[in-house]
Amino acid sequence: MQVQIRVEWLSESALSVGSTADAQGLGVDKATARDNRGRLLIPASSIKGRLRHECERIERTLGGFVCLPPRAEQMCPLAHPQGQCCAVCEIFGSPWRPAPLRLSDGTLLLASLPEPIRTERELRPFDAQVRPGVSLSRARRAALGERLFFIETSAPNAGFRFQVTLEGELPSTRHRALLLAGLRCLSLLGGGKSRGLGWGRVVRWTVDGVEADEAHLAALIAEGGYG
Ligand SMILES: [Zn+2]
């Protein structure tokens, strides 16, 4: 079945979606990812990784077999007991199976911004901030020569909304339901979880061209057996 889902993801804390491309010019170790017009961006690969993780968690909770990315030999169909693909690989693909689902980058919705920063000029002074951190060795629980680093994050509490489109030919309504359930649990994007960065949620849904409220969404998820 052909599926098209469009969501708006509201960033509820500062967001750290790293890019080292611009970092040097800014004098930071990691800059926020941006499109070619300087607007904040969440790369599709970053969204796909987190979303896949949420779908794996849900499928496993319900007792379904789920393989163990990212190592190729632990993924379907090699890792599958019947040499097939798990529901998650049937949505997101595996090293041996192209992903039926395509995701767009998360693009910043300018309409969600306050008036002064909605213009096309350089947004960086308004939409980002630089934070210091110290590199820690997890094994030794000690600062690595107390190396101080700086990352650029999006401004906190700015209410940034990012639009993401997901589309493709999925095997069944069950797969669509798993995908929707995963999106509903998508509360984290980018890095810096331990520093409280990257929290948010989907606040607006369009499924196959129809704007879906909470009841419609719940019905679609239940129809696929994930309700
Ligand atoms: Zn799999």
Side-chain angles (χ1 to χ4, degrees), residues 48-75:
K48 184 178 176 179
R50 287 283 182 199
L51 181 56
R52 179 176 184 129
H53 178 75
E54 291 302 337
C55 291
E56 286 168 3
R57 216 164 49 84
I58 293 164
E59 186 66 6
R60 220 171 263 131
T61 303
L62 292 177
F65 172 82
V66 181
C67 63
L68 297 168
R71 288 177 58 188
E73 67 273 21
Q74 292 182 351
M75 292 181 70

Side-chain angles (χ1 to χ4, degrees), residues 6-192:
R6 183 170 298 150
V7 294
E8 285 181 26
W9 193 82
L10 171 68
S11 167
E12 295 179 309
S13 71
L15 191 64
S16 170
V17 182
S19 155
T20 48
D22 289 342
Q24 242 177 346
L26 289 169
V28 295
D29 295 280
K30 211 182 241 187
T32 52
R34 288 169 191 275
D35 68 13
N36 56 12
R37 290 160 93 178
R39 291 174 296 205
L40 293 170
L41 177 91
I42 309 176
S45 55
S46 176
I47 301 168
K48 184 178 176 179
R50 287 283 182 199
L51 181 56
R52 179 176 184 129
H53 178 75
E54 291 302 337
C55 291
E56 286 168 3
R57 216 164 49 84
I58 293 164
E59 186 66 6
R60 220 171 263 131
T61 303
L62 292 177
F65 172 82
V66 181
C67 63
L68 297 168
R71 288 177 58 188
E73 67 273 21
Q74 292 182 351
M75 292 181 70
C76 301
L78 287 191
H80 195 284
Q82 284 90 41
Q84 298 165 358
C85 278
C86 68
V88 178
C89 284
E90 283 177 329
I91 299 172
F92 296 97
S94 86
W96 290 279
R97 181 192 172 98
L101 185 75
R102 297 179 303 279
L103 282 84
S104 71
D105 290 329
T107 52
L108 185 65
L109 283 167
L110 290 181
S112 70
L113 302 182
E115 200 66 52
I117 58 173
R118 209 179 284 177
T119 57
E120 291 293 330
R121 65 195 153 128
E122 175 58 69
L123 294 165
R124 188 166 252 126
F126 305 99
D127 66 12
Q129 62 176 213
V130 173
R131 293 170 180 239
V134 176
S135 304
L136 292 173
S137 158
R138 292 239 164 114
R140 292 187 290 136
R141 294 201 168 274
L144 281 175
E146 309 221 332
R147 191 182 109 69
L148 193 63
F149 67 88
F150 295 94
I151 56 166
E152 188 193 43
T153 71
S154 74
N157 309 319
F160 293 135
R161 287 182 184 221
F162 296 87
Q163 181 170 281
V164 187
T165 304
L166 310 93
E167 51 192 335
E169 181 75 29
L170 297 186
S172 71
T173 51
R174 175 167 122 67
H175 295 79
R176 181 178 64 186
L178 176 56
L179 183 58
L180 290 170
L183 279 166
R184 194 150 71 166
C185 295
L186 193 64
S187 57
L188 198 62
L189 285 175

